[in-house]
Amino acid sequence: MAKKPVSSEVKTPIVLEAKEITKQFPGVLANDSVDFDLRKGEIHALLGENGAGKSTLMNLIYGLHHPDKGEIIVNGKTVAIHSPNDSIAAGIGMVHQHFMLIPVFTVAENVMLGDEITKRGSLDRATVAARINEISKQYGLDVDPNAIVGDLPVGLQQRVEIVKTLYRNAEIVILDEPTAVLTPQEAEDLFRIMRDLTGRGVSIIFITHKLKEVLAVADRITVMRAGRVVNTVVPAETNEAQLANMMVGRQVILTVEKKDHAASGDILKVDGLSVRDQRGLETVHNVSFTVRGGEVLGIAGVQGNGQTELSEALTGLREPHGGNVFIDGQDLTSKPPRIITAAGLAHIPEDRQRHGLVMSYTVADNMALCDYYRPPFSNRGVIQQKALDENARKLISAFDVRTPSPFVNAGKLSGGNQQKVIVARELSRSNVKLVIANQPTRGLDVGSIEYIHSEIIKMRDRGVAVLLISAELDEIMALSDRIAVMYRGQIVAIVETKKTTREQLGLWMAGAHAETA
Amino acid sequence: MQSEKQSNSLTRQILQSVSDASLVPFLAILTAVVVGGVIIKLVGGDPILAYRGLIQGSFGSTKALSETAVWATPYIFAGLAVALAFKGGLFNIGAEGQLAVGAVASSLVGYALPEWLGYDLPIVIHLPLAIIFGVLMGGIWASIVGALKAYTGGHEVINTIMMNYIALNTTSFLLNGVMKDRSPTNVIARTPLIADSARIPPIFDGLRVHWGFVLALLVAFLIWWLLNKTTLGFQIRTVGLNPDAAKYAGINVKRIIILTMALSGMLAGMAGTIEVTGLNYRHELGFSIGYGYDAIAIALLGKSHPLGVVLAAFLFAAMRNGATRMQFLTQMPVDLISMIQAFILLFVAADAIVRYIYRIKAKGERVVLTRGWGG
Ligand SMILES: Nc1ncnc2c1ncn2[C@@H]1O[C@H](COP(=O)(O)OP(=O)(O)OP(=O)(O)O)[C@@H](O)[C@H]1O
Ligand SMILES: [Mg+2]
């Protein structure tokens, strides 16, 4: 991680101030008299547990929700923000936790959306493209105005979002968990861009759960908990442990405690598996490995090297076109998810909103999403609502899901708590022999990560086989007994965690396998 | 802003969600009635008198009430058909055609079966057979579209429209040909009368409202129960809301799509059947013109909720039924009713208009256009 520039001692003027902001949602006081300020040219990080109210505060500033109380002051003047149009006019831009782009449109079309320039009644794409190129050059944000957004990798899509805010002359840019889905390289690029922007007088609010990032790039750090601001500190005077402590209100163990554990026989056996993606390109080539009961096999690799297709093929979401998959000796190649689940799979999917949840179902219904058809949740085809609710109450308290009640729609939970609903559902199933966890802690706060990690280790200690796919090398190293490195659709190395180093793994992930493995 | 402050009590929340769901349709109706009134005034009529006529004509007497229920019966079935498909994420524009094949099948069983067997059947056998055949035909007809969607990805909107053409033209061919009423005085395209044993009896002597109306209410309840209380309903709704998650959850998405279409078609077929067995006692070309399309409006107005569908079906039935009385009192053309119905639909579909007029804040989730970081 790059060193952050020495922050200047002179205090720049305050460009944005939120005063005593209060916001009540049904059942949750999401913001409780929050004070927050942002200085010109600074990166102000906002930290806090899942559901602490960070996105809510930003949505209030951006005009997507309206505060019950409090005022927002931009450049010394109180502004009334009724909708994003008002905040855009006040020079505020926001890149959301979930993208707001139209995938079939080009970059230029997306950027001008809502602010279209026309020439004799038709869209003036050329002028927009020129503006985009200008912005790209000025801030080092390389994007092709004519590319279709849906074809771009996430890192670039995010850049489009940033360009979109700059195109509207934003001087205050809000980034809500921008690094959650970026590769380490993409994250580095983003930090460079962020510094470029602040160097030109743009001020940035940066939300993240990654303490290392915060310490590396922020000028100031504000920590929120349960809708209130706990404290504002500067990186030089704090450290990871202290920040974690402030966020969760208790001591957090940042390292995973893991005892040696004897692995038993093979549970998952993958033999010569090849998989194509939706464009028909083979993205997994002839992959073979095994995971034994009582061990965690981590799959390390830069995102987009076939991990998604591999896990989809293993869980029945995608049909492989070659090779075999066995779970506990049973051939489950190309079998549908229901049968694989019945054979003992628990699957934490990569994309929680697409596969893991039905956003407009209640938490209770989501917690029975895969088991609704079995007793006690159903009896001769009739859903037993009582059993569903009871199950939800049990899981909500066991897994500490922050929700006002089991009957709230999953879409109303904060991102991290949505993930906990899935983890709770999957790990609590009774016959689990194999856990496939794809990015299980993406977007989670340190406390929740600690919890989910300990649950995964608990599964392993109970003799369950765990396949962990993660873009976080730290997570892979902390949890895995063995690590497989995936590069361009192949497993280029499998090693015992104890016998390797971060650097070695990094080399393999970058494709330096031919010499070493 | 203060209005968003709410108590935490669960009952309040439930009540809130019920009123949230019905608020927009209610205001849409109100607005459409006002707009209709203004139009009546503009063309020189008396809005109060016109609406009084409408209400008298639809609710003013036992006979009027009975006729409203008669109109409502097929509307409820067809509205449920479209609503059920909506719940499963499918847009069934084909109710019109499914209704026609249902009507043809049940009238065939109704008039031809005794002839073909050579003896009369008791009502307990003949009537259920006539109904079942109509329902099944509607179901089969629609499930073809479901199968096309599931296995080829062919869009159900296009395919149901195509199937409508096939259904309506085939019906016309049959009613002008082999199924035509051969009685010497007949010149129009219609089947012979069905046997007495295939007829649904009226509820009261002297009124046209028949037991099919009660059946419609029962079926509406049944559909509500199916959707909300059974595993099949859970599957249908899950596929409708998020097919990816449905697949992940182990649901056979293709099967559910076909099944949803089949059930939807069965309900539409029932709408045709009930008109044959309960009201007209024969199938006549063109009796149902527009039921299948009104059904879409009814499902939308009822927010695809079975109770909402029943209420919306009543509203549409009352308006259709009361229109004649209105015309009689004020010389306002019956077409005015279609216009008001169109306005209602417009305001429901483009609910932003209603929200703007009455300053209601949009509730619910923001539209997420693309899925990005899963935070
Ligand atoms: N539209 C909404 N309706 C009801 N409750 C909501 C809504 N949006 C957020 N909440 C609730 O407000 C609280 C704060 O949520 P918010 O999204 O601000 O958390 P966050 O700090 O961004 O968390 P995360 O790190 O998980 O993204 C949560 O308890 C959430 O359930
Ligand atoms: Mg958030």
Side-chain angles (χ1 to χ4, degrees), chain B residues 217-253:
Chain B
L217 296 179
L218 276 175
V219 168
F221 175 77
L222 208 68
I223 295 297
W224 172 83
W225 181 80
L226 174 91
L227 280 173
N228 294 293
K229 301 287 164 188
T230 68
T231 51
L232 178 60
F234 188 85
Q235 294 175 332
I236 291 174
R237 287 185 291 127
T238 307
V239 169
L241 290 166
N242 185 345
D244 289 319
K247 188 172 179 193
Y248 163 87
I251 295 169
N252 187 335
V253 176

Side-chain angles (χ1 to χ4, degrees), chain B residues 5-157:
Chain B
K5 242 186 196 176
Q6 279 152 344
S7 91
N8 308 348
S9 108
L10 194 71
T11 38
R12 279 277 301 267
Q13 280 186 33
I14 293 171
L15 282 179
Q16 185 69 40
S17 73
V18 170
S19 66
D20 281 353
S22 49
L23 188 62
V24 169
F26 176 76
L27 292 174
I29 294 165
L30 191 75
T31 316
V33 166
V34 172
V35 172
V38 170
I39 293 172
I40 295 174
K41 190 89 199 159
L42 283 179
V43 298
D46 179 349
I48 306 288
L49 193 63
Y51 285 136
R52 191 186 297 153
L54 195 63
I55 291 168
Q56 274 177 5
S58 50
F59 299 112
S61 63
T62 19
K63 173 135 188 306
L65 270 173
S66 155
E67 285 304 300
T68 299
V70 163
W71 274 98
T73 304
Y75 273 164
I76 292 173
F77 283 119
L80 288 171
V82 179
L84 181 91
F86 273 145
K87 285 284 183 197
L90 298 164
F91 197 175
N92 181 8
I93 304 208
E96 187 81 6
Q98 293 143 20
L99 197 145
V101 295
V104 168
S106 69
S107 55
L108 185 66
V109 172
Y111 78 81
L113 192 61
E115 275 173 41
W116 185 65
L117 288 172
Y119 53 85
D120 285 347
L121 285 162
I123 186 165
V124 285
I125 295 179
H126 197 188
L127 177 58
L129 268 183
I131 293 177
I132 288 168
F133 263 80
V135 168
L136 281 182
M137 260 319 280
I140 291 168
W141 200 252
S143 59
I144 296 171
V145 176
L148 287 174
K149 167 99 176 181
Y151 291 108
T152 70
H155 203 284
E156 76 276 8
V157 166

Side-chain angles (χ1 to χ4, degrees), chain B residues 131 343 366 375:
Chain B
I131 293 177
F343 272 120
R366 270 179 290 136

Side-chain angles (χ1 to χ4, degrees), chain B residues 241-366:
Chain B
L241 290 166
N242 185 345
D244 289 319
K247 188 172 179 193
Y248 163 87
I251 295 169
N252 187 335
V253 176
K254 290 187 166 73
R255 207 190 111 219
I256 292 298
I257 288 176
I258 298 171
L259 208 63
T260 306
M261 260 336 258
L263 283 171
S264 174
M266 285 165 77
L267 287 164
M270 188 75 192
T273 298
I274 215 74
E275 289 291 88
V276 168
T277 52
L279 192 68
N280 302 323
Y281 306 136
R282 60 159 42 112
H283 186 38
E284 188 175 310
L285 202 60
F287 89 85
S288 82
I289 291 300
Y291 281 7
Y293 300 111
D294 283 350
I296 298 167
I298 288 166
L300 283 174
L301 182 59
K303 294 262 162 183
S304 296
H305 188 287
L307 181 60
V309 167
V310 168
L311 295 177
F314 258 100
L315 180 75
F316 271 54
M319 286 168 71
R320 289 266 181 240
N321 182 34
T324 355
R325 174 87 186 149
M326 180 191 79
Q327 184 170 19
F328 174 74
L329 279 181
T330 61
Q331 280 73 52
M332 284 294 132
V334 176
D335 296 336
L336 185 78
I337 294 305
S338 303
M339 224 165 75
I340 293 177
Q341 285 178 346
F343 272 120
I344 294 176
L345 196 61
L346 184 88
F347 291 137
V348 170
D351 64 348
I353 306 175
V354 171
R355 289 183 193 284
Y356 179 76
I357 298 175
Y358 299 95
R359 303 278 140 49
I360 316 168
K361 247 190 266 152
K363 286 245 170 67
E365 284 126 55
R366 270 179 290 136

Side-chain angles (χ1 to χ4, degrees), chain A residues 25 28 30 50-56 97 177 209 412-416:
Chain A
F25 282 124
V28 233
N50 297 123
K54 306 177 297 291
S55 296
T56 303
Q97 197 166 354
E177 285 192 46
H209 287 293
K412 300 250 150 127
L413 299 195
S414 76

